[in-house]
Amino acid sequence: SGAPDVLRGPAFRFLGLSRLPLVPLLVVAAAQAAFRRTSGSDFVYAWNDARHFVLNLLFASSWGFERGYSFNAPVWSVSVEIFLYAVFFVLCRFVPTGLTVLAALSALGHVVVSTANPALGSGIGSFFLGGCVFRLYERIVDAGRASQSKGPLVAGTVPGWSPAGRASLLAW
């Protein structure tokens, strides 16, 4: 395309996407202030203060600094996703991301972090579990066994999609 490189890079795409949660945040903050003036109480979420507004602006509303849901609470998933991308970048840049490291991070997320922050812990655990699956698949392909592994891979994956399969994996 004829667009300058700066308009095609990841930083520009991030800036474009960052407006999506920003507009609802501003609308909800204004509506919340109006509701509080007329009713004397908050609407839905109670943590609509300056601290939580800044956390929302920085996309850090679900990183463990919050006291609870605030303003546009569904943006918690975007917050967790941005955190994971930042951690992933740092790991890929400075740490060999082999199967052992990915499995340890997945376990850390599912077991340790989920206790203090379930959304972030589940995000960490699932994100790095996906990395483990990629590394295992990479080994299968490198060994020339991809075509023989399709059936067992599907058979092993489907139970993880079911609620009972997920419950048994999390209980393990």
Side-chain angles (χ1 to χ4, degrees):
S1 91
D5 287 342
V6 71
L7 297 179
R8 291 191 306 236
F12 185 77
R13 282 194 301 275
F14 175 76
L15 289 174
L17 290 173
S18 68
R19 288 188 305 235
L20 292 174
L22 180 62
V23 172
L25 172 63
L26 295 175
V27 169
V28 168
Q32 183 64 254
F35 186 85
R36 186 179 294 147
R37 266 193 313 275
T38 59
S39 72
S41 65
D42 290 310
F43 183 75
V44 183
Y45 306 112
W47 299 106
N48 299 309
D49 53 18
R51 169 192 173 137
H52 287 86
F53 186 82
V54 170
L55 288 174
N56 275 269
L57 278 178
L58 298 174
F59 297 101
S61 61
S62 291
W63 293 5
F65 305 115
E66 73 281 359
R67 293 187 181 122
Y69 287 128
S70 62
F71 297 103
N72 186 17
V75 82
W76 71 265
S77 62
V78 175
S79 172
V80 169
E81 185 175 4
I82 288 172
F83 176 85
L84 292 170
Y85 287 148
V87 169
F88 185 64
F89 171 79
V90 170
L91 282 173
C92 288
R93 183 80 172 101
F94 301 109
V95 178
T97 53
L99 185 58
T100 305
V101 170
L102 295 170
L105 288 169
S106 179
L108 178 75
H110 279 302
V111 176
V112 178
V113 179
S114 286
T115 304
N117 187 331
L120 187 60
S122 179
I124 292 169
S126 299
F127 187 85
F128 290 107
L129 182 59
C132 291
V133 170
F134 170 76
R135 288 294 187 208
L136 290 171
Y137 181 74
E138 191 175 53
R139 288 182 183 182
I140 291 168
V141 169
D142 288 346
R145 305 187 78 189
S147 60
Q148 307 100 294
S149 301
K150 286 180 187 172
L153 285 173
V154 170
T157 302
V158 171
W161 289 338
S162 73
R166 285 186 54 96
S168 66
L169 287 173
L170 291 175
W172 174 70

